[in-house]
Amino acid sequence: TPLAPPRDMPQRWEAAFLEALRRGARVDQAARRAGVSVGTVYEHRRANERFRAAWSEAQPKGGRANGGDRRR
């Protein structure tokens, strides 16, 4: 069986997810566009500091203005 990539390695879906956030998509919309579940993106954010920082940078200034980041 193939080994899972290390948690700090970018996942294939991350770029699509982060780009969707940058364009103003809500988290659920961005996850759908990236082909992953909302639970996956939140779990990955909890486990991966690099992704957490990229997510924060990708969101519009003002935090939850797009309504997508309801879990904290």
Side-chain angles (χ1 to χ4, degrees):
T1 59
L3 296 174
R7 286 184 180 231
D8 61 342
M9 294 288 294
Q11 302 296 310
R12 291 179 186 217
W13 53 264
E14 283 184 33
F17 174 80
L18 294 169
E19 182 59 27
L21 284 182
R22 282 185 206 96
R23 293 177 180 261
R26 295 186 322 257
V27 171
D28 61 322
Q29 294 168 330
R32 189 174 325 112
R33 289 178 191 165
V36 295
S37 72
V38 172
T40 294
V41 297
Y42 280 109
E43 177 58 33
H44 194 56
R45 184 175 76 166
R46 277 190 293 276
N48 187 300
E49 185 175 335
R50 178 197 47 77
F51 180 65
R52 190 168 41 254
W55 179 325
S56 180
E57 284 294 314
Q59 287 193 304
K61 299 305 175 216
R64 293 165 46 174
N66 69 1
D69 188 11
R70 294 192 176 107
R71 297 187 203 184
R72 287 222 174 204

